[in-house]
């Protein structure tokens, strides 16, 4: 069983993916973290995330065995890393290097301790369209740019970090633009995806709506 969850930044797909993974006892992969880890590695090396050769080298350097440790790095959550991620994500050879890794996980999912799981939840931008076009359930989770910026703003405030709403909104719009308009695997709902607009929902309501959809669609 594969559940694919796509959508723009801060739409609530990560929380939904984790809730569904917990509910069904499936393994979860946040594929955005893979792109973030590549962007971060390039930034750490003092290079430009749009540099094809550098970004491809970083994407190819991933060792699936150590992936969980790499993806846990808290620095991957930063807005700057998210922006670098969306730059490396435009490069087709970077996407290709990460594709097999994601497909392997979907076909042979495993938990953090290495134990195999009977299903997988993957969240990202192209899971339902490119990575797992045959996924059993597909969600496209979205919300207005303003609502998403507000959520990021409050997250940062709650974490005691500096937060500038206008800058966050500008970054979100920029990232949407880059993710939606790139030539390879752009952000868009799969034709058979269930579109969940969370602009007027909290995380619990979105989770409930997703569970209801799965119950009806897979009854
Ligand atoms: O989801 P998150 O914000 O962590 O993703 C960071 C960036 O990685 C996105 O803006 C997008 O450009 C890229 N990404 C992607 N395909 C995925 C997941 C993330 O292109 N499946």
């Amino acid at each position: 069983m594969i559940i694919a969850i796509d959508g723009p930044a801060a739409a609530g797909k990560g929380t939904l993916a984790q809730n569904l993974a917990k509910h069904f006892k499936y393994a979860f992969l946040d594929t955005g973290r893979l792109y973030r880890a590549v962007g971060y590695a390039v930034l750490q090396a003092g290079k430009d995330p749009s540099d094809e050769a550098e970004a491809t080298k970083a994407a190819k350097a991933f060792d699936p065995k150590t992936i969980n440790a790499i993806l846990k790095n808290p620095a991957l959550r930063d807005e700057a890393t998210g922006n670098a991620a969306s730059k490396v994500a435009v490069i087709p050879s970077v996407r290709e290097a990460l594709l097999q890794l994601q497909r392997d996980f979907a076909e042979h999912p495993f938990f953090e301790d290495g134990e195999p799981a009977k299903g997988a939840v993957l969240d990202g931008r192209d899971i339902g369209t490119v990575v797992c076009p045959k996924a059993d359930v597909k969600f496209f989770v979205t919300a207005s740019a303003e609502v998403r910026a507000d959520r990021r703003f409050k997250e940062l405030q709650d974490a005691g970090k500096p937060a500038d709403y206008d800058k966050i909104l500008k970054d979100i719009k920029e990232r949407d633009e880059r993710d939606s308009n790139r030539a390879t695997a752009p952000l868009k709902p799969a034709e058979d995806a269930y579109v969940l607009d969370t602009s007027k929902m909290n995380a619990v309501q979105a989770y409930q709506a997703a569970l209801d959809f799965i119950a009806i669609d897979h009854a």
Side-chain angles (χ1 to χ4, degrees):
M1 176 83 172
I2 299 174
I3 302 179
I5 306 183
D6 291 305
K13 59 188 188 314
T15 307
L16 176 64
Q18 287 181 63
N19 283 336
L20 290 177
K22 207 167 157 194
H23 179 87
F24 292 110
K25 299 193 173 63
Y26 294 164
F28 163 59
L29 180 64
D30 172 355
T31 67
R33 289 229 158 188
L34 296 170
Y35 290 90
R36 282 172 182 261
V38 174
Y40 182 70
V42 177
L43 288 180
Q44 285 295 98
K47 308 283 183 188
D48 175 3
S50 300
D51 182 324
E52 185 174 340
E54 286 298 329
T56 308
K57 194 171 80 186
K60 285 189 174 161
F62 263 133
D63 175 359
K65 289 193 207 83
T66 57
I67 205 151
N68 276 321
I70 296 168
L71 300 185
K72 272 198 174 144
N73 183 352
L76 297 188
R77 292 185 64 113
D78 293 351
E79 256 347 270
T81 315
N83 248 311
S86 92
K87 288 181 184 161
V88 301
V90 171
I91 303 167
S93 49
V94 167
R95 305 201 69 84
E96 201 187 308
L98 299 180
L99 184 60
Q100 200 53 46
L101 217 137
Q102 298 171 77
R103 285 191 174 151
D104 287 347
F105 180 86
E107 272 155 40
H108 305 286
F110 54 89
F111 293 107
E112 274 188 27
D113 60 5
E115 277 301 301
K118 60 184 186 331
V121 183
L122 287 89
D123 92 50
R125 302 289 188 288
D126 60 341
I127 308 302
T129 50
V130 176
V131 179
C132 304
K134 298 207 170 112
D136 303 272
V137 182
K138 297 180 187 178
F139 289 106
F140 190 83
V141 183
T142 188
S144 73
E146 288 71 18
V147 166
R148 290 184 283 127
D150 195 48
R151 284 180 190 158
R152 265 282 143 68
F153 177 74
K154 287 187 179 131
E155 251 173 49
L156 288 169
Q157 270 196 329
D158 289 348
K161 291 187 181 162
D164 174 344
Y165 175 84
D166 291 335
K167 175 158 190 327
I168 296 171
L169 180 60
K170 185 173 160 277
D171 281 354
I172 279 192
K173 286 184 171 167
E174 247 177 57
R175 201 127 74 85
D176 284 357
E177 173 84 14
R178 201 160 35 227
D179 289 350
S180 308
N181 294 318
R182 68 181 174 222
T184 311
L187 169 68
K188 64 168 186 204
E191 274 178 21
D192 50 349
Y194 177 69
V195 179
L196 195 60
D197 187 330
T198 67
S199 299
K200 292 188 181 137
M201 288 182 190
N202 61 29
V204 176
Q205 289 166 325
Y207 171 49
Q208 195 52 54
L211 281 181
D212 289 349
F213 173 74
I214 295 173
I216 293 164
D217 199 53
H218 284 75

